[in-house]
Amino acid sequence: MLQYLVRRLLWAAVLFLAVTVVTYVIFFIIPANPAQQAAGKAATTEKIEQVEKFLGLDQPVYVQYYRFMKRLIVDQSLGRSFATRQDVNDIIFDAAPITASLVFGGVFFWMLLAVPIGILSALRPRSLLDRASMTFVLIGISAHPVWIGLIFVYFFSFKWQITPISGYCDIVNGSTGCGGPIDWAYHMALPWATFAILFAATYVRMIRANVMETLNEDYVRTARAKGAPESQVIRSHVLRNSMLAVVTMLGMDIGLALGGAVFTETVYGLPGLGRVAIESINNFDLPITQGVVVFGTFSIIVFNLFVDLFYAWIDPRIRLA
Amino acid sequence: MALLEVRDLRTSFRTDDGVVKAVDGVDFSIEKGKTLGIVGESGCGKSVTCLTIMGLNNRRNTISSGQALFKDEDLLTMNSRRLRDVRGNDIAMIFQDPMTSLNPVHSVGRQLVEAILLHQDVTKKAGKARSLELLKAVGIPRADRRIDDYPHQFSGGMRQRVMIAMALVNDPDLLIADEPTTALDVTTQAQILALMNRLQQEFGSAIIIITHDLGVVAEVADDVVVMYAGQIVERGPVDCIFTRPHHPYAWGLLGSLPRLDTDVERLVQIPGQPPSLLNPPRGCRFHPRCPYVMEVCRTDHPALLPLSDDADHLQRCHLDEETKDREAAKLLAGTLAEAS
């Protein structure tokens, strides 16, 4: 187990290096001048050069990368924004809880939808429920989150005025004027729904297929031959085995979910990591972009590690391998 | 009174291509403590017969009729609650592939205890003690340590022993073993058969053993049912089938067995494939493959009839008894290979 952990952590370090290098390289391939952006449109050439020097942009890419890594490892700092000189750590720290609310709430709701629907449609294939859920799946898979978001906002917020159009409230009383768990959930309801539909669709289909496959396993027949009632057969023999693949997918989809969060946050005006990333890219604000990438990579690595350990817990064949 | 009496059992599956009559009018019975062997090629309906008795076919696409009287109760019309009480308790089943018949995510102990707790009102602890006792009885070395191991940590033979232990935890009156040794290597097969024989003495269960291996039948069975294309073609005490087989299909099966006592140039093989049960041949179902085929075989379906001098020995063939006795004698002398 320890050896497994060490190997996983080493691999995570390699992954981390690769992702940050790629972000750096992409950034410097883009034909843009961040110093110009930071200094403003009216700045003279001298002024721009001065800014360039101040930001360290006059140095070669590898020196900049070295400085970035050194700062990150020695000071645990992601640096300061090119444009506003704000501490990137603070920006990330403010935005991360919003994205986390969205992603975890979304995961919760999508599993809440997908697990029962998936199981029921597997147990009653070709029933009305199965057909209805397949329609839902098709819509979910085909529709883009931005489109779903806009449709939701139009009906729920604009026409029926059930939910707020956009904005975010902190779960603990914040400085934003609104706050607390109720305001938080009230503002997150539509983003969660949007997010959940997007993924629930894929998961309904996957869970349905897995459960149907597991139902045909010999050990399920063995359980029935033992005289186990159907509910116990499903609970004890079908579910756990069919959830193995789902857990794996969930681990892989956390990364995808963060990507999905970018769209959802944009539609609902949530000041989360997705929006921070998009703004920073528009402003050529490398430290912020890099900060989001570093944080995102780190989260994904941690989640994957967590999922792997969880997986080992539910499947003894992996635990002992 | 027979422990289990099966009368005119029929099972069909609805498929996209039409209705498949997998079992088409099967009758047999088994007495307490006896062993019945059901033999036949793959797809002849022997497994489906037993799955129907146990009510384990997929209900959505299966139509069954007939009767399976277990202690005078019809298993086919029994409500599902009562059937669950019978399954695993009065009738237990062992499956062909021990590699896939145990749940990989639960320890073997847990799976045995589950079987006990479903039918006996005992504590988990008592259940575990009973499981351990059975694991020892089926010859799992260091059973006390292995009880918490998972199926993938056992070899195929050991897993089949676990399956047998699991089938016996509730002292069933009837044990149905569906090709219990097919997936195992030859030395392990012999051990498992010996184990089943020993446990039958000990527990007094009746056994239905499904197999395509006549060697297995010769070793363990008291009575034999030979099935072909969903029907019984020959049925009787085990000695009759081996000393006086009366159906050309049984000759084919016997002739394909390697033997040590006679010199045979080549083993007999039954030419062709078993017929499609979607659309079985008219007349005798075996006629397209039968070397003795007559005109009547193509048009008239033979009935399952007793021999004139042996009421316990039934067979389904148009050939006259004299020819059959002659051919059977040739086969047993090892000369049928040349004759056909």
Side-chain angles (χ1 to χ4, degrees):
Chain A
M1 200 65 202
L2 189 71
Q3 200 195 349
Y4 173 73
L5 257 178
V6 169
R7 210 168 52 215
R8 283 298 316 235
L9 287 176
L10 281 177
W11 181 234
V14 172
L15 193 65
F16 181 78
L17 276 176
V19 171
T20 49
V21 167
V22 168
T23 321
Y24 249 86
V25 170
I26 289 175
F27 199 83
F28 283 96
I29 288 172
I30 299 169
N33 189 346
Q36 167 107 53
Q37 198 81 12
K41 275 198 182 120
T44 59
T45 319
E46 278 162 40
K47 189 77 185 166
I48 289 171
E49 269 171 21
Q50 207 181 339
V51 171
E52 221 164 46
K53 199 163 172 125
F54 179 71
L55 296 175
L57 290 166
D58 55 338
Q59 303 289 331
V61 181
Y62 57 87
V63 175
Q64 290 190 45
Y65 182 71
Y66 169 73
R67 283 184 181 169
F68 158 78
M69 285 306 281
K70 191 179 153 202
R71 201 164 47 220
L72 184 66
I73 290 158
V74 177
D75 310 325
Q76 281 91 46
S77 162
L78 290 163
R80 287 176 179 279
S81 155
F82 282 168
T84 61
R85 304 306 297 151
Q86 256 184 301
D87 193 327
V88 177
N89 284 27
D90 290 345
I91 296 176
I92 302 281
F93 188 76
D94 286 343
I98 299 170
T99 304
S101 306
L102 179 63
V103 171
F104 287 117
V107 170
F108 177 75
F109 282 109
W110 104 45
M111 290 311 269
L112 201 67
L113 273 176
V115 172
I117 296 180
I119 293 170
L120 288 175
S121 44
L123 294 180
R124 303 259 177 280
R126 295 181 210 185
S127 64
L128 192 65
L129 174 87
D130 186 31
R131 284 164 205 268
S133 77
M134 281 301 117
T135 314
F136 162 73
V137 164
L138 254 176
I139 295 172
I141 289 174
S142 318
H144 193 275
V146 171
W147 180 81
I148 297 178
L150 290 174
I151 296 290
F152 274 7
V153 168
Y154 178 73
F155 284 104
F156 289 99
S157 309
F158 180 70
K159 276 207 123 160
W160 304 328
Q161 305 196 338
I162 306 169
T163 56
I165 287 182
S166 71
Y168 178 72
C169 283
D170 213 64
I171 188 165
V172 287
N173 280 309
S175 51
T176 36
C178 67
I182 293 168
D183 271 346
W184 172 70
Y186 178 57
H187 280 82
M188 291 306 287
L190 277 193
W192 281 338
T194 311
F195 203 71
I197 283 180
L198 192 64
F199 285 94
T202 336
Y203 275 72
V204 165
R205 216 165 65 153
M206 187 173 64
I207 291 170
R208 178 179 183 270
N210 276 322
V211 170
M212 285 179 82
E213 201 183 303
T214 313
L215 279 170
N216 285 326
E217 293 282 355
D218 287 349
Y219 54 78
V220 173
R221 192 181 54 190
T222 307
R224 291 199 180 117
K226 280 197 273 190
E230 205 54 24
S231 59
Q232 186 171 336
V233 172
I234 303 287
R235 195 161 21 87
S236 173
H237 296 278
V238 176
L239 281 193
R240 190 145 157 196
N241 285 286
S242 52
M243 283 306 143
L244 290 174
V246 178
V247 170
T248 317
M249 274 293 279
L250 202 56
M252 294 197 283
D253 278 349
I254 291 289
L256 207 63
L258 287 174
V262 174
F263 294 119
T264 317
E265 283 174 8
T266 311
V267 177
Y268 293 103
L270 299 171
L273 286 175
R275 221 171 68 163
V276 168
I278 286 183
E279 277 171 10
S280 72
I281 291 167
N282 289 339
N283 294 333
F284 302 111
D285 206 337
L286 177 62
I288 299 182
T289 315
Q290 191 67 281
V292 174
V293 169
V294 167
F295 185 79
T297 312
F298 182 73
S299 317
I300 290 171
I301 289 170
V302 169
F303 277 121
N304 275 319
L305 194 64
F306 181 72
V307 165
D308 279 356
L309 295 177
F310 183 62
Y311 196 73
W313 177 70
I314 49 177
D315 191 348
R317 284 167 297 187
I318 290 171
R319 196 185 314 161
L320 298 143
Chain B
M1 184 196 87
L3 179 66
L4 174 73
E5 180 152 8
V6 175
R7 287 182 195 158
D8 195 30
L9 188 75
R10 291 166 196 272
T11 307
S12 319
F13 298 115
R14 277 190 297 265
T15 68
D16 292 340
D17 300 323
V19 176
V20 175
K21 289 185 187 160
V23 179
D24 198 3
V26 163
D27 303 81
F28 61 82
S29 66
I30 178 168
E31 305 289 331
K32 255 185 161 167
K34 294 285 186 190
T35 301
L36 173 76
I38 303 182
V39 277
E41 282 166 297
S42 307
C44 70
K46 49 196 196 304
S47 290
V48 175
T49 302
C50 290
L51 289 174
T52 307
I53 294 169
M54 289 287 276
L56 288 174
N57 286 314
N58 186 347
R59 266 187 222 148
R60 237 179 297 284
N61 61 3
T62 314
I63 316 152
S64 307
S65 68
Q67 284 182 311
L69 298 174
F70 179 75
K71 294 180 178 170
D72 279 342
E73 263 186 292
D74 188 1
L75 295 165
L76 264 55
T77 52
M78 200 176 259
N79 71 43
S80 57
R81 215 192 142 75
R82 177 80 189 104
L83 185 62
R84 282 204 305 269
D85 284 344
V86 172
R87 278 186 202 158
N89 192 23
D90 300 308
I91 308 179
M93 196 156 176
I94 304 169
F95 297 99
Q96 177 172 353
D97 192 351
M99 294 306 190
T100 54
S101 295
L102 289 163
N103 190 334
V105 304
H106 297 313
S107 69
V108 299
R110 183 174 161 168
Q111 298 186 54
L112 263 81
V113 172
E114 184 190 21
I116 296 170
L117 294 184
L118 280 166
H119 299 289
Q120 296 178 31
D121 193 15
V122 294
T123 59
K124 266 192 181 169
K125 213 174 150 191
K128 195 158 178 179
R130 169 79 178 146
S131 305
L132 189 58
E133 192 184 308
L134 258 299
L135 286 176
K136 279 179 186 159
V138 297
I140 303 239
R142 290 176 299 135
D144 51 330
R145 269 196 273 164
R146 304 229 55 192
I147 190 166
D148 291 320
D149 281 354
Y150 290 87
H152 70 273
Q153 292 166 290
F154 291 82
S155 67
M158 285 297 151
R159 281 188 224 190
Q160 197 60 297
R161 284 168 196 261
V162 171
M163 283 298 292
I164 293 172
M166 196 156 81
L168 293 176
V169 282
N170 295 315
D171 280 328
D173 296 319
L174 176 62
L175 181 65
I176 301 178
D178 186 356
E179 307 231 11
T181 58
T182 305
L184 306 173
D185 62 65
V186 182
T187 45
T188 318
Q189 282 184 10
Q191 288 175 2
I192 294 291
L193 288 176
L195 172 70
M196 287 178 60
N197 255 338
R198 181 167 64 75
L199 293 172
Q200 185 174 29
Q201 310 294 319
E202 216 170 289
F203 290 80
S205 312
I207 296 180
I208 296 179
I209 186 161
I210 302 174
T211 180
H212 58 257
D213 187 344
L214 282 172
V216 170
V217 170
E219 199 161 330
V220 299
D222 298 304
D223 295 289
V224 184
V225 165
V226 181
M227 283 186 73
Y228 184 78
Q231 296 183 324
I232 293 178
V233 292
E234 188 155 8
R235 193 184 89 194
V238 68
D239 295 343
C240 302
I241 306 288
F242 283 97
T243 57
R244 201 187 172 195
H246 258 207
H247 194 281
Y249 178 63
W251 300 340
L253 288 179
L254 285 163
S256 62
L257 273 184
R259 289 170 54 167
L260 295 175
D261 56 335
T262 51
D263 248 351
V264 180
E265 286 283 304
R266 286 183 61 180
L267 293 174
V268 182
Q269 56 169 342
I270 305 172
Q273 297 288 319
S276 154
L277 295 174
L278 264 175
N279 194 8
R282 263 170 62 85
C284 171
R285 293 194 174 175
F286 189 59
H287 87 255
R289 301 171 75 186
C290 182
Y292 304 91
V293 62
M294 302 176 294
E295 210 39 58
V296 63
C297 304
R298 299 184 210 276
T299 50
D300 291 358
H301 186 61
L304 188 65
L305 297 170
L307 267 61
S308 56
D309 55 352
D310 188 351
D312 289 337
H313 187 176
L314 292 89
Q315 50 78 46
R316 195 189 284 278
C317 180
H318 287 307
L319 281 176
D320 60 286
E321 277 189 28
E322 213 174 298
T323 317
K324 284 191 279 201
D325 274 333
R326 200 178 58 232
E327 291 300 311
K330 272 201 222 166
L331 167 79
L332 297 172
T335 53
L336 191 78
E338 293 144 46
S340 64

